Amino acid sequence: MLLTMGRGAGKNNLSKEELRDNKRERDAANYQRKRTEITRKNALAQIAAPIIACPCGLTYKNYKEGKRSHYKTHKHELWEEETEQGLVPLVCQKIKQANNTETARLFINNHYLDNNKFSAAEKMGYVAKFVRLLNKLPDKPPPPLRKVKLFIRKAKPDTN
Ligand SMILES: [Zn+2]
């Protein structure tokens, strides 16, 4: 009876090869079970994931894979490159008609088109040159100071 208990060669009357085959089968079954579990968990996470509006202008489903694949898109990489190089603030600093992110974006997009940069990949390859060109421009003059009128109200007399 003791001979059939425990593990290892000699303890359960199985040869080394049989033990190895058994272990291989157990491992394969465990792997399959875990894989199914992980696939199911990922599918559920994907369904439940909220949709995120990325500052790059695209949206993605906020779960591990969705986020990772979004970060690999050309459009997101372009946005990252532009942000890293400080393109929008630089345009606001140098270009008269760009006063905020929206007008700076308009200028940037027009400049890309004027220079035949149409795809995100083409634009990405151009960002460094764009920044160099902008840096050669003088800063735009500060906006004229606005006149501010001050009104002084007389305090109301106490009615009591
Ligand atoms: Zn993005």
Side-chain angles (χ1 to χ4, degrees), residues 109 111-119 122-123 125-126:
N109 288 334
H111 186 80
Y112 280 141
L113 295 181
D114 289 344
N115 287 277
N116 300 319
K117 308 300 175 206
F118 300 109
S119 72
E122 287 170 334
K123 290 170 187 174
Y126 182 72

Side-chain angles (χ1 to χ4, degrees), residues 154-160:
K154 282 183 189 164
K156 284 182 185 169
D158 257 344
T159 48
N160 284 342

Side-chain angles (χ1 to χ4, degrees), residues 34-53:
K34 270 192 187 150
R35 220 180 90 154
T36 312
E37 220 170 88
I38 287 167
T39 308
R40 192 182 129 78
K41 232 170 117 184
N42 284 347
L44 288 175
Q46 183 174 354
I47 291 165
I51 293 172
I52 303 287

Side-chain angles (χ1 to χ4, degrees), residues 54-58 60 70-71 73 75-77 79:
C54 188
C56 75
L58 296 177
Y60 62 89
H70 169 71
Y71 282 2
T73 58
K75 182 149 185 192
H76 185 86
E77 284 183 343
W79 174 81

Side-chain angles (χ1 to χ4, degrees), residues 3-157:
L3 283 175
T4 59
M5 294 175 74
R7 293 192 162 204
K11 288 185 179 172
N12 49 15
N13 298 327
L14 293 176
S15 70
K16 262 188 180 176
E17 286 71 29
E18 285 172 319
L19 284 171
R20 199 175 51 218
D21 288 349
N22 283 352
K23 185 177 174 354
R24 193 177 294 143
E25 267 171 40
R26 275 199 314 276
D27 287 351
N30 278 340
Y31 173 77
Q32 203 52 50
R33 195 168 45 240
K34 270 192 187 150
R35 220 180 90 154
T36 312
E37 220 170 88
I38 287 167
T39 308
R40 192 182 129 78
K41 232 170 117 184
N42 284 347
L44 288 175
Q46 183 174 354
I47 291 165
I51 293 172
I52 303 287
C54 188
C56 75
L58 296 177
T59 57
Y60 62 89
K61 279 213 133 193
N62 194 15
Y63 69 101
K64 207 172 154 194
E65 259 317 306
K67 199 172 184 175
R68 191 176 17 212
S69 62
H70 169 71
Y71 282 2
K72 278 189 205 157
T73 58
H74 280 160
K75 182 149 185 192
H76 185 86
E77 284 183 343
L78 170 65
W79 174 81
E80 246 181 19
E81 177 76 7
E82 289 173 347
T83 306
E84 221 167 84
Q85 303 249 8
L87 190 58
V88 168
L90 189 60
V91 165
C92 288
Q93 185 189 328
K94 302 285 185 177
I95 304 298
K96 201 177 156 196
Q97 63 267 37
N99 298 308
N100 53 37
T101 306
E102 214 173 288
T103 47
R105 273 268 145 234
L106 198 64
F107 175 85
I108 290 167
N109 288 334
N110 285 335
H111 186 80
Y112 280 141
L113 295 181
D114 289 344
N115 287 277
N116 300 319
K117 308 300 175 206
F118 300 109
S119 72
E122 287 170 334
K123 290 170 187 174
M124 205 152 63
Y126 182 72
V127 172
K129 187 178 177 186
F130 197 171
V131 166
R132 276 201 305 278
L133 289 173
L134 286 165
N135 274 323
K136 284 181 190 164
L137 297 174
D139 286 358
K140 68 183 180 188
L145 293 174
R146 284 198 201 131
K147 283 181 187 167
V148 177
K149 277 186 185 171
L150 288 178
F151 294 98
I152 299 169
R153 284 202 191 120
K154 282 183 189 164
K156 284 182 185 169

